[in-house]
């Protein structure tokens, strides 16, 4: 199945732009942080940050908002990578927000902690005084993310207003904010999914094993395959199966669907992605709750 992959000529331009943005964040803000989930986009961000300041160490910490429902392979890879990079990893837990009664655990068939992360994130921003949070969101992922500027200003409640985005002509980024506000910065905003995979392949970047084909116990629900876990609320219509799958995107185990696949190499994954009739975030069950599910979460302070 492996296909020959030609590295696009624009990939170096994208890398240069992303490194420039990361350096701008470090220069313009007092306490930046890199939001790190252990997924391919945040791993790519980590490599870009490493290049941006080499041979010095990355001058800001990584922050992971841990829902407690993550894939264990992702957490294992997260810890391994931050140890290799020698960066500070800050972890804040959604379970703590639940215990403090700041958020309420969802119930029912489609229960997920994905939306609950917002409160934990905003609390972490306030706790540490972060004024800029870098994330791996890309404009090609979802229509609400296509509205984002690279420097996305959030108010003192962490809220996002698409109508109050600043112009960014000629890659001039305005990082001036009022007291209490913060910025979400997206250095790979102009990348596509194919760009990310090509870059990972070119750079020889390691990934969690769930991105590659593996045999897994699954729950078949409404035509989608979810990883079996103790966090899923099993209902009578669910079917327990076992087959070879991979994950195209990584979120919580409760809301990230798998693809039946035998792709065990990046070239095979890229070929499959190109041939797929589904979008990358088509596997995120939480995005399907409504037509504007992700945008509504973003307005409330979500990543």
């Amino acid at each position: 199945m492996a296909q020959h992959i030609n590295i696009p000529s624009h990939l170096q331009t994208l890398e240069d732009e992303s490194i420039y943005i990361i350096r701008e964040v470090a220069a313009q803000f007092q306490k930046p942080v890199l939001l790190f989930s252990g997924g391919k986009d945040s791993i790519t961000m980590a490599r870009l940050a490493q290049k941006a300041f080499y041979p010095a160490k990355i001058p800001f910490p990584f922050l992971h908002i841990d829902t407690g429902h993550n894939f264990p392979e992702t957490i294992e890879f997260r810890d391994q990578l931050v140890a290799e990079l020698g960066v500070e990893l800050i972890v804040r837990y959604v379970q703590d927000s639940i215990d403090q009664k700041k958020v309420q655990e969802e119930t029912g068939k489609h229960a997920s902690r994905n939306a609950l992360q917002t409160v934990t994130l905003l609390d972490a921003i306030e706790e540490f005084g972060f004024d800029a949070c870098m994330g791996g969101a890309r404009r090609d992922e979802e229509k609400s993310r296509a509205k984002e500027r690279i420097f996305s200003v959030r108010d003192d409640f962490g809220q996002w207003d698409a109508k109050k985005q600043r112009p960014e002509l000629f890659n001039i980024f305005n990082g001036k904010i009022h007291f209490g506000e913060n910025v979400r910065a997206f250095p790979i905003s102009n990348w596509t999914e194919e760009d990310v995979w090509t870059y990972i392949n070119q750079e020889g970047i390691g990934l969690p094993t769930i991105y590659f084909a593996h045999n897994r116990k699954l729950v078949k629900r409404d035509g989608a395959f979810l990883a079996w876990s103790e966090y899923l609320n099993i209902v009578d219509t669910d079917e327990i199966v076992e087959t070879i799958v991979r994950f195209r995107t990584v979120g919580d185990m409760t809301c990230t669907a798998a693809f039946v696949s035998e792709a065990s190499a990046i070239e095979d994954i890229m070929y499959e992605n190109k041939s797929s009739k589904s979008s990358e975030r088509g596997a995120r069950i939480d995005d399907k709750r409504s037509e504007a599910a992700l945008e509504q979460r973003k307005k409330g302070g979500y990543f």
Side-chain angles (χ1 to χ4, degrees):
M1 184 191 287
Q3 305 290 311
H4 177 67
I5 303 297
N6 293 315
I7 297 173
S9 59
H10 69 284
L11 200 59
Q12 184 63 56
T13 303
L14 288 174
E15 182 191 64
D16 291 343
E17 178 188 60
S18 299
I19 288 174
Y20 166 70
I21 294 167
I22 292 170
R23 288 172 176 167
E24 280 293 296
V25 172
Q28 292 195 43
F29 297 94
Q30 295 296 317
K31 292 200 71 175
V33 68
L34 191 149
L35 302 177
F36 190 79
S37 67
K40 69 181 188 310
D41 296 316
S42 60
I43 291 169
T44 298
M45 286 275 296
R47 173 58 62 89
L48 292 166
Q50 186 181 28
K51 285 191 172 188
F53 303 103
Y54 185 82
K57 288 187 176 181
I58 297 171
F60 41 74
F62 288 11
L63 171 64
H64 183 209
I65 304 302
D66 190 339
T67 64
H69 292 175
N70 298 282
F71 288 88
E73 298 95 325
T74 305
I75 299 300
E76 180 182 353
F77 187 90
R78 177 201 72 183
D79 295 342
Q80 174 187 331
L81 181 61
V82 297
E84 291 174 359
L85 293 174
V87 297
E88 178 188 3
L89 173 66
I90 299 169
V91 182
R92 287 297 177 265
Y93 299 93
V94 170
Q95 184 62 53
D96 291 338
S97 298
I98 295 171
D99 294 342
Q100 295 162 11
K101 301 189 184 305
K102 293 181 177 180
V103 293
Q104 185 174 356
E105 185 89 78
E106 293 183 357
T107 59
K109 175 180 176 181
H110 298 293
S112 169
R113 289 185 173 182
N114 197 44
L116 306 186
Q117 297 177 79
T118 299
V119 171
T120 313
L121 171 63
L122 296 178
D123 283 349
I125 290 172
E126 183 175 359
E127 177 186 354
F128 293 96
F130 295 129
D131 51 1
C133 301
M134 286 177 281
R138 309 186 321 269
R139 288 189 175 121
D140 75 318
E141 289 181 277
E142 202 269 346
K143 57 188 177 183
S144 70
R145 285 186 167 170
K147 298 178 183 179
E148 288 271 24
R149 294 291 193 264
I150 290 175
F151 275 21
S152 178
V153 179
R154 307 298 176 99
D155 65 20
D156 52 358
F157 293 103
Q159 297 174 325
W160 171 74
D161 187 344
K163 296 179 180 179
K164 293 183 179 180
Q165 298 289 291
R166 298 171 176 178
E168 294 179 336
L169 302 175
F170 311 111
N171 274 3
I172 297 175
F173 304 112
N174 180 4
K176 292 183 179 179
I177 54 176
H178 297 294
F179 180 77
E181 294 179 335
N182 66 84
V183 164
R184 309 291 169 83
F186 304 108
I188 63 170
S189 186
N190 291 328
W191 295 47
T192 66
E193 181 188 16
E194 183 178 359
D195 292 329
V196 172
W197 278 110
T198 305
Y199 188 73
I200 288 170
N201 195 32
Q202 174 186 322
E203 294 285 310
I205 298 172
L207 293 172
T209 56
I210 59 173
Y211 278 110
F212 304 95
H214 59 286
N215 190 65
R216 195 175 202 107
K217 185 178 180 182
L218 305 158
V219 176
K220 188 175 182 181
R221 172 181 291 176
D222 300 331
F225 292 101
L226 295 170
W228 182 91
S229 74
E230 60 182 322
Y231 315 123
L232 277 178
N233 294 330
I234 304 297
V235 297
D236 292 341
T237 54
D238 290 338
E239 181 183 354
I240 309 299
V241 298
E242 189 170 324
T243 190
I244 297 175
V245 296
R246 68 177 178 89
F247 292 87
R248 189 171 172 182
T249 182
V250 175
D252 272 3
M253 299 181 77
T254 58
C255 61
T256 307
F259 289 86
V260 176
S261 170
E262 294 187 359
S264 57
I266 292 178
E267 292 88 350
D268 298 336
I269 290 172
M270 293 175 67
Y271 180 76
E272 276 193 358
N273 289 349
K274 282 184 177 181
S275 304
S276 175
K277 296 181 180 179
S278 301
S279 67
E280 179 183 7
R281 289 193 71 90
R284 296 295 293 270
I285 308 300
D286 49 314
D287 286 354
K288 300 178 181 180
R289 294 190 174 194
S290 72
E291 183 68 20
L294 181 56
E295 181 160 348
Q296 291 303 317
R297 294 202 303 273
K298 282 161 57 63
K299 287 179 179 179
Y302 188 74
F303 303 146

